[in-house]
Amino acid sequence: MLLEASHVCVSLGGKRIVEDISFSLMEGEWLMLIGPNGAGKSTLLSALSGTLPCEGDIRLTGLPLATMKSTERAKRMGLLLQKNSGDFDFTVEEVVRLGRYASRRSPFASPDAGTQRVEEALTLTGMQEMRHKRIRTLSGGEVQRAFLAQVLAQDPSVLLLDEPGNHLDYIYQKQLFTLIDRWRRQPGRAVLCVVHDVAIARRFADRILLMDHGKASALGTPEEVLQADRLRDVYSMDIHAWLHDLYAPWQTEDAAE
Amino acid sequence: MPMKRQGNYTLPFHLLSLFLLLVTFLLCVCAGSVAIPLRDTLHTFRELFFGLKPTGTNAVILRSIRLPRVICVGLVGSCLSLCGCAMQGLLRNPLADGSTLGVSSGASFGAVLSLALGLRIPGLTYGTTMVFAMLFAFLSLVLILSLAYALDRSLATNSIILIGIIFSMFASALISLTISFAGERIKSITFWTMGSLSGATYTQALILLVSLILGSVILLSLCDELNAFALSEENAWHIGVHVRRVKLTVLITVSMLIGVCVSIGGSIAFVGLVVPHMLRLLLGPGHRRLLPASLYGGAIFLMLADLLGRTLLSPIELPIGVVTSLFGAVAFILIFRHARKTERGIGNVA
């Protein structure tokens, strides 16, 4: 078991945002976290990544997260933020190399150490050719890929993603999700991902955790969780009908004839 | 071949920098209200090196006035630009500097206060002022950062500088107030606002050197962390940087260095702003290069500024801070414009 959360609760400013969430993430698994805005998905993700203090117990590769050293945590778990930026003119390669921070031997070790992982990450994300470009000159999708390469260079067991498809067009979205799908199939890896798009969750998830008002409304395979009635309760709308409406077969000219 | 803008500060860089530093040093030692020929200067150095007592007016000027002054100026320049560079990385803010954040003024106030009250820490007769300057530098930094954080959680470029400047004015007012009550016990207000190293001694040079070595070792071991902070604090956390520890270490180190500089040379503005900015344009933002380069660059820049101050309107001597502020104000506007432009750039959503 790579990541294990039991009875996790998070309060912010005296208000319970996340209440009693338990789940476990197995090797090779892709767990999607879905739910309406304000359901507490991102807050839960922050707690799981160790940024927010929480009640309950979180174990990363069997060890308690709360008392883990920051470098030990970063070797086991990486997070791709929803928004990334750079105020200084760092190049893609410099950003990706920072992913090796937790694994460096000493502060004065050559920055070339761990080059192999960096190269792999650049290749996997298709950023080799842009390696010397400045982050600030890239498009939103390219920035996202550069930071994905950074997380992959970290070589974590558990990859956390916070709405990675946001701000991305269809090409980037498809590339991103397919890439992560390939990445997690290697031994010792698992993915936990917050998404808004139920269709994406259905396509890529092994299991889905549906959240509503800070609580787990359902946890199971896509077929189990994405039932029309349940979604209607949580989202207060008919998701199936809406998606059907949205993605109805295109009226092509051939069909019209 | 386009220069690779990343990696370490390699040996060729060090050699080139040392060469430039040496040339500047010799220039600053020889030139002045009394020009001393290079041959005499080198001769005096030889005598000093072999422990002989230098003879002649030039040799005396050189040994007891100019040499300690130029050395102190260089060391202060290194300290201040190292501090500026580290703070800019830490706060992800190209405008951060001891003077723009109000840390120097805070340190000055601490120093003035300890002098006015005649405070003595037992066993630290000489260093009481210095300890107070360091302490107040740190308190000012903490105060300014927490104020900025309370007002604007993102620690945006503008709000933090605004608070720094307001704090700076407040501290200056307190300094004036203290001096007007304390009378002649304290050096003139100009010293604390514009800085001066005209009466620098070898003891001060030694103190500066020790602090600089200590500060450089600490900050140079944090290059990767500063790079991570310069990208974003949140990102730094996720790649495994111990955010709180690193932040505290940098802030304490910077306060110590600024405290030492201010208690010896008064508050000299904008050095930490101008030098790292110019070097960043040249070498890129990576701190593995930027921090060592700032050490050399700061020394060269401040020695030249001091030389200008001594010679431009000779025999009148301009306070060193006047020269740096003239450069600094222009640089500030240029950097601000640059920062504003890129804030709207693509891929910079924060």
Side-chain angles (χ1 to χ4, degrees), chain A residues 236-254:
Chain A
S236 325
M237 70 176 278
D238 192 338
I239 300 275
H240 279 211
W242 168 239
L243 288 179
H244 212 268
D245 189 19
L246 211 55
Y247 297 115
W250 300 133
Q251 194 82 31
T252 59
E253 282 180 23
D254 291 348

Side-chain angles (χ1 to χ4, degrees), chain A residues 50 73 87 91 101 104 150, chain B residues 6 92 224-225 235 237:
Chain A
R73 184 199 67 229
D87 283 297
T91 62
Y101 170 79
R104 65 177 193 172
Q150 187 195 58
Chain B
Q6 55 194 37
R92 205 158 38 101
D224 292 339
E225 285 85 347
N235 189 246
W237 162 277

Side-chain angles (χ1 to χ4, degrees), chain A residues 49-52 70-71 73-74 77-79 81 83-91 93-95 97-99 101-102 104 106-111 131-132 134-140 143 147 150 154 167, chain B residues 4-8 88-89 92-94 157 217 220-228 230-232 234-243 246 280 284-288 338 342-343 345-350:
Chain A
S49 68
T51 2
L52 268 185
S70 49
T71 47
R73 184 199 67 229
M77 178 162 70
L79 178 122
L81 294 166
K83 288 178 189 167
N84 281 298
S85 66
D87 283 297
F88 290 109
D89 260 343
F90 286 102
T91 62
E93 191 179 329
E94 283 175 299
V95 169
R97 270 190 198 289
L98 273 177
Y101 170 79
R104 65 177 193 172
S106 89
F108 300 104
S110 156
R131 64 195 306 154
H132 294 304
R134 319 277 175 73
I135 281 290
R136 274 206 292 229
T137 62
L138 303 179
S139 73
V143 171
F147 278 89
Q150 187 195 58
Q154 241 171 286
H167 324 292
Chain B
K4 247 181 87 182
R5 282 167 49 112
Q6 55 194 37
N8 281 336
Q88 286 151 24
R92 205 158 38 101
N93 187 335
T157 313
V217 170
L220 285 172
S221 73
L222 295 174
C223 288
D224 292 339
E225 285 85 347
L226 287 172
N227 285 342
L231 269 179
S232 85
E234 213 181 348
N235 189 246
W237 162 277
H238 289 296
I239 62 169
V241 175
H242 197 302
V243 169
V246 171
R280 205 175 281 120
H287 287 87
R288 277 168 180 258
H338 184 72
T342 46
E343 249 168 42
I346 316 165
N348 196 348
V349 220

Side-chain angles (χ1 to χ4, degrees), chain B residues 97-110 133 135-148 159-175:
Chain B
D97 167 44
S99 49
T100 53
L101 290 185
V103 189
S104 304
S105 313
S108 292
F109 176 59
L135 194 68
F136 274 68
F138 183 69
L139 291 178
S140 316
L141 247 179
V142 171
L143 183 70
I144 294 156
L145 290 182
S146 28
L147 264 178
S159 50
I160 196 169
I161 299 298
L162 198 63
I163 290 167
I165 287 165
I166 292 166
F167 181 82
S168 204
M169 290 163 79
F170 178 67
S172 300
L174 289 178
I175 295 170

